Amino acid sequence: MVLDRAKGNPGIRFLLGILIIALSIYFFYVSMTRQNSPELFLVPQKVDGSTYKCHTVSTLRLEACIPDTLSSNTTGNNDINFYSIEPNMRGSIKLFDRLPVESKWKASLRSPFVRLFVGDVDSMDSFDLMLKILYHKWNPTLMGLKSRLMPSWMRGAPGACILLPPAARSIVFYSQEHSLGMRFYAHSVAVVSVTGKIDKDILVGIVDSIKPI
């Protein structure tokens, strides 16, 4: 009895099977991540600036234009605070030489798998690296890094979005209850932190107005 020769190329069938398994794992992982961490699928979106009546508040290190509808003061640490009673909201503007834990974060980017998608980490500064990672939303390799970049309160937050103000080199993480804005300069970074509801156009305007002295 002569057995019929198996049809097709076994090598191709094996590779096709591996591809199907890999795609199944990928789609399962992405669907689960999208369900549990929808914020990881947000990407930065450019927004226009807005005009509003404001008063300039200055410290020895920075100045900003705070809306007239908000109260403000300065601290001995050269920070600017702004707040309102109704709605209950408070915020601060601080100037740092660099982002907190920046060195530790950059060290996590030296994996060969990360370099494959991000590129030469050493040739980019913090703003460029952040922006490049935040624009990815379907890449499982970078989802862990993206989750570390985004504030923990972004997870499942109503109205969560990532904004790019008109001011160069600025990023705003926004939600209905918390917001975090960053504006990068050559030798410093201004950080705006808000607890409570603030209009996103107002927040973008504040970020736009910050100037180091």
Side-chain angles (χ1 to χ4, degrees), residues 185-206:
Y185 303 94
H187 303 292
S188 59
V189 56
V191 177
V192 184
S193 179
V194 178
T195 299
K197 188 173 183 178
I198 184 172
D199 184 273
K200 65 176 66 174
D201 290 334
I202 293 295
L203 177 59
V204 166
I206 293 174

Side-chain angles (χ1 to χ4, degrees), residues 159-176:
C161 55
I162 306 172
L163 308 175
L164 296 180
R169 302 174 65 76
S170 301
I171 300 175
V172 172
F173 296 100
Y174 179 87
S175 78
Q176 293 181 7

Side-chain angles (χ1 to χ4, degrees), residues 106-124:
K106 283 187 174 181
S108 66
L109 302 177
R110 301 189 182 280
S111 163
F113 292 104
V114 173
R115 286 175 177 269
L116 182 65
F117 300 104
V118 176
D120 184 8
V121 174
D122 297 326
S123 66
M124 291 182 280

Side-chain angles (χ1 to χ4, degrees), residues 140-171:
T141 303
L142 298 181
M143 284 182 179
L145 286 173
K146 189 170 181 176
S147 67
R148 282 180 233 156
L149 283 181
M150 303 175 73
S152 59
W153 44 257
M154 286 281 283
R155 184 168 185 174
C161 55
I162 306 172
L163 308 175
L164 296 180
R169 302 174 65 76
S170 301
I171 300 175

Side-chain angles (χ1 to χ4, degrees), residues 83-103:
Y83 52 92
S84 68
I85 297 176
E86 185 59 43
N88 185 19
M89 182 275 295
R90 63 185 185 276
S92 66
I93 306 173
K94 303 175 184 290
L95 191 67
F96 299 94
D97 294 332
R98 61 174 59 190
L99 285 176
V101 303
E102 179 177 311
S103 299

